[in-house]
């Protein structure tokens, strides 16, 4: 220790120069308090003043993940900001949907699913993306031809969020599927299929929100605001859907800092 360090770091257990036994061996367990304190002194003196961490440079070459969070949503494009009355009406409608869902959950859960409805396991992210969005959107295939429109192939177009399906999903599954679809939305465009499932999963989220769900819906609202700004053709139907999700996250789930300012 440097001479001046004593003033900044006074000793809590000052150790004097005791008369230790001639056979004192610092490598064996101490037999007296004096031997113990002397052994601590010796070990402290052997510690280097500067310690350099050994870092494997190969690990630094790997892709680093940095999560950056902004406080709010980007404002709606000029002329597309929803009115306060519209937002209040959407919250009221959404609240009514949640009440009906909770009231009849057991009934819908008891209904038999069609033989072609095979719900993926909770941890099967790719399976749920295909189930909700369909192989056509998942694989980014072209729209169905007229010949294929004769019958609906839900494996291609995705299963809708039927009450008989979402009523079977516990909160862990709801949160997981919501995360899968938000991850998808983070890199892909917004589609009606995605919008229907996001609305249904939000309707299934129980309050108070778990921390994970709280973070997910805030991420979702921010992503909606980003896509809304980048919408080149200003498709009113799509912007309205994005406004709806932001409205529900901010005003129903009490994330008011993300709310759109009324037009």
């Amino acid at each position: 220790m440097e001479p001046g360090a004593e003033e900044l770091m006074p000793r809590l257990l000052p150790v004097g120069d005791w008369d230790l036994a001639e056979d004192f061996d610092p490598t064996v367990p101490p037999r007296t308090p004096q031997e113990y304190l002397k052994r601590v002194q010796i070990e402290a003196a052997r510690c280097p003043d500067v310690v350099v961490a050994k870092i494997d440079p190969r690990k630094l070459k790997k892709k680093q993940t940095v999560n950056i969070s902004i406080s709010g949503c980007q404002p709606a494009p000029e002329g597309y900001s929803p009115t306060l009355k519209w937002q209040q009406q959407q919250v009221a409608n959404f609240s009514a949907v949640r009440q009906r869902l909770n009231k009849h959950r057991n009934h819908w859960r008891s209904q038999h699913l069609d033989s072609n409805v095979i719900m993926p396991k909770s941890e099967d992210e790719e399976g749920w993306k295909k189930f909700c969005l369909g192989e056509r959107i998942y694989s980014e295939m072209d729209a169905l031809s007229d010949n294929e429109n004769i019958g609906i192939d839900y494996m291609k177009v995705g299963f809708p969020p039927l009450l008989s399906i979402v009523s079977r999903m516990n909160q862990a599954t709801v949160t997981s599927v919501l995360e899968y679809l938000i991850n998808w939305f983070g890199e892909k465009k917004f589609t009606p299929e995605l919008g229907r499932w996001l609305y249904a999963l939000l309707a299934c989220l129980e309050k108070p929100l778990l921390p994970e769900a709280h973070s997910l819906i805030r991420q979702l609202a921010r992503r909606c605001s980003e896509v809304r700004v980048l919408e080149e053709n200003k498709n009113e139907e799509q912007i309205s859907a994005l406004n709806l999700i932001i409205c529900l996250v901010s005003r129903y789930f009490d994330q008011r800092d993300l709310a759109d300012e009324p037009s």
Side-chain angles (χ1 to χ4, degrees):
M1 183 179 293
E2 297 180 2
E6 177 68 23
E7 299 178 2
L8 299 176
M9 300 174 61
R11 294 180 179 178
L12 295 179
L13 295 172
V15 181
D17 295 328
W18 292 301
D19 293 330
L20 298 174
E22 295 182 358
D23 61 345
F24 171 68
D25 184 354
T27 62
V28 300
R31 295 167 295 181
T32 65
Q34 290 80 7
E35 288 185 359
Y36 169 77
L37 294 175
K38 190 62 179 179
R39 181 174 178 178
V40 171
Q41 272 191 328
I42 294 173
E43 291 178 352
R46 293 174 179 173
C47 293
D49 294 333
V50 179
V51 179
V52 179
K54 294 182 179 180
I55 300 177
D56 186 352
R58 293 173 297 180
K59 295 183 179 180
L60 299 179
K61 295 181 180 180
K62 296 182 179 179
K63 184 178 180 181
Q64 303 293 311
T65 301
V66 179
N67 295 320
I68 300 177
S69 175
I70 59 177
S71 58
C73 288
Q74 298 186 34
E78 186 175 356
Y80 291 90
S81 181
T83 64
L84 179 58
K85 182 178 180 180
W86 181 88
Q87 294 183 65
Q88 292 173 337
Q89 184 61 53
Q90 302 312 313
V91 169
N93 294 343
F94 182 69
S95 178
V97 168
R98 285 172 59 92
Q99 290 177 11
R100 290 197 298 270
L101 176 60
N102 290 331
K103 182 178 180 179
H104 302 290
R105 185 184 300 275
N106 290 334
H107 166 75
W108 287 108
R109 185 182 296 162
S110 64
Q111 299 302 303
H112 293 290
L113 295 175
D114 291 340
S115 58
N116 64 329
V117 182
I118 302 176
M119 297 173 62
K121 294 182 178 179
S122 179
E123 65 276 11
D124 184 1
E125 179 170 356
E126 303 307 311
W128 274 108
K129 289 176 182 177
K130 292 180 181 179
F131 184 87
C132 299
L133 306 176
E135 293 180 352
R136 179 173 59 84
I137 293 178
Y138 179 82
S139 304
E140 297 182 313
M141 297 166 57
D142 294 332
L144 297 176
S145 65
D146 292 337
N147 293 333
E148 292 176 306
N149 284 330
I150 298 176
I152 298 178
D153 185 346
Y154 287 112
M155 295 301 295
K156 291 184 178 180
V157 301
F159 290 90
L162 302 174
L163 289 174
S164 56
I165 293 177
V166 298
S167 295
R168 284 173 160 80
M169 300 168 65
N170 58 30
Q171 282 299 291
T173 302
V174 169
T175 304
S176 295
V177 177
L178 185 61
E179 180 180 6
Y180 301 153
L181 296 183
I182 291 175
N183 289 342
W184 169 270
F185 187 30
E187 300 178 354
K188 307 292 183 178
K189 63 182 181 180
F190 185 83
T191 66
E193 294 84 356
L194 176 63
R196 285 192 289 268
W197 267 100
L198 291 174
Y199 186 94
L201 292 171
L202 289 176
C204 293
L205 275 182
E206 295 179 357
K207 295 177 71 175
L209 294 175
L210 296 174
E212 183 180 359
H214 177 272
S215 175
L216 283 173
I217 65 171
R218 290 183 64 84
Q219 180 183 343
L220 172 60
R222 294 189 183 111
R223 177 56 180 164
C224 287
S225 72
E226 293 172 0
V227 174
R228 184 176 60 179
V229 170
L230 297 175
E231 176 64 31
E232 296 180 357
N233 300 324
K234 294 297 181 285
N235 182 309
E236 291 191 15
E237 184 176 345
Q238 177 159 309
I239 291 182
S240 179
L242 296 170
N243 285 348
L244 173 59
I245 294 176
I246 295 172
C247 169
L248 298 180
V249 170
S250 61
R251 297 193 180 275
Y252 183 85
F253 290 102
D254 302 318
Q255 308 301 307
R256 297 305 174 96
D257 60 307
L258 304 179
D260 281 318
E261 292 298 329
S263 58

